[in-house]
């Protein structure tokens, strides 16, 4: 069912001010309110009037409606969802969520591995250069490790 033009529903011109829209809404709300009206389709009409007033009384919604018609409300809602939820608004099921997390973590791990690989190679080169420049450093390391091991064994076996 095609929706009616909100300006026609309220009976105001497109150049109507906020006060004129409010007066027209109140007049129609009194006329079609279910407690007051005796018309058989009063409930449907009051819903239509409320919807029209909801759009035309809100400056953002009114601007979107004036620019795009009824599709403007849908576009405005989609923009709101994108702003509110960002990339997470696209999840429709738990599968989508798990896929997004594991895909993201896999990509991060791959980037980290690539970065670590480069860092690892640089560290290895640096250590190799240090050993070549100071041959006694290896001997000193052996003495230090042997001292640490003796302390550990003497602590546990005495």
């Amino acid at each position: 069912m095609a929706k009616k033009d909100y300006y026609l529903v309220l009976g105001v011109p497109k150049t109507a001010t906020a006060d004129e829209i409010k007066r027209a809404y109140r007049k129609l709300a009194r006329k079609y309110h279910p407690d007051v009206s005796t018309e058989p389709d009063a409930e449907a009409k009051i819903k239509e009037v409320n919807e029209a007033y909801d759009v035309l009384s809100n400056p953002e919604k009114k601007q979107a409606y004036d620019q795009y018609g009824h599709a403007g409300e849908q576009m405005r809602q989609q923009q709101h969802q994108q702003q509110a939820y960002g990339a997470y608004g696209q999840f429709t099921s738990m599968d989508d969520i798990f896929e997004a997390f594991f895909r993201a973590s896999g990509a991060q791990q791959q980037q980290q591995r690539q970065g670590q690989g480069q860092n690892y190679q640089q560290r290895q080169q640096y250590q190799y250069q240090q050993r070549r420049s100071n041959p006694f450093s290896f001997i000193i390391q052996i003495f230090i490790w042997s001292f640490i091991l003796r302390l550990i064994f003497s602590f546990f076996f005495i």
Side-chain angles (χ1 to χ4, degrees):
M1 180 175 158
K3 291 187 176 185
K4 290 185 181 178
D5 183 21
Y6 291 147
Y7 291 104
L8 291 176
V9 170
L10 293 179
V12 294
K14 290 191 178 196
T15 57
T17 64
D19 289 334
E20 292 173 340
I21 292 172
K22 191 174 191 178
R23 272 185 267 146
Y25 166 72
R26 286 184 176 177
K27 179 182 171 186
L28 291 171
R30 273 185 259 135
K31 180 178 179 182
Y32 294 119
H33 194 277
D35 293 342
V36 177
S37 179
T38 58
E39 294 185 29
D41 59 342
E43 188 174 332
K45 286 185 180 181
I46 194 70
K47 285 181 182 178
E48 199 172 67
V49 169
N50 284 333
E51 183 180 348
Y53 180 71
D54 181 49
V55 171
L56 297 180
S57 65
N58 185 332
E60 286 180 19
K61 292 180 182 181
K62 184 177 189 280
Q63 181 184 6
Y65 178 74
D66 289 343
Q67 198 168 12
Y68 302 109
H70 290 287
E73 179 65 17
Q74 292 172 346
M75 292 172 59
R76 197 187 68 74
Q77 287 175 351
Q78 288 174 351
Q79 289 174 350
H80 175 70
Q81 284 179 342
Q82 288 173 351
Q83 289 173 351
Y85 302 114
Y88 300 110
Q90 65 192 358
F91 298 137
T92 57
S93 67
M94 290 300 287
D95 293 335
D96 295 341
I97 295 171
F98 286 125
E99 182 180 337
F101 280 120
F102 290 122
R103 188 179 341 123
S105 66
Q108 283 179 335
Q109 287 176 357
Q110 185 177 8
Q111 288 175 350
Q112 287 176 351
R113 274 190 239 114
Q114 289 173 350
Q116 286 175 350
Q118 293 170 354
N119 291 339
Y120 179 76
Q121 290 172 353
Q122 291 171 351
R123 261 194 323 252
Q124 291 296 328
Q125 281 182 331
Y126 177 75
Q127 289 174 355
Y128 178 73
Q129 290 171 354
Q130 291 297 319
R131 282 192 299 254
R132 287 195 64 161
S133 65
N134 189 0
F136 294 107
S137 67
F138 181 70
I139 295 171
I140 293 171
Q141 286 179 358
I142 290 175
F143 281 123
I144 292 171
W145 280 108
S146 65
F147 179 74
I148 292 170
L149 288 173
R150 283 183 188 168
L151 282 174
I152 292 172
F153 283 121
S154 66
F155 181 75
F156 285 111
F157 297 114
I158 291 182

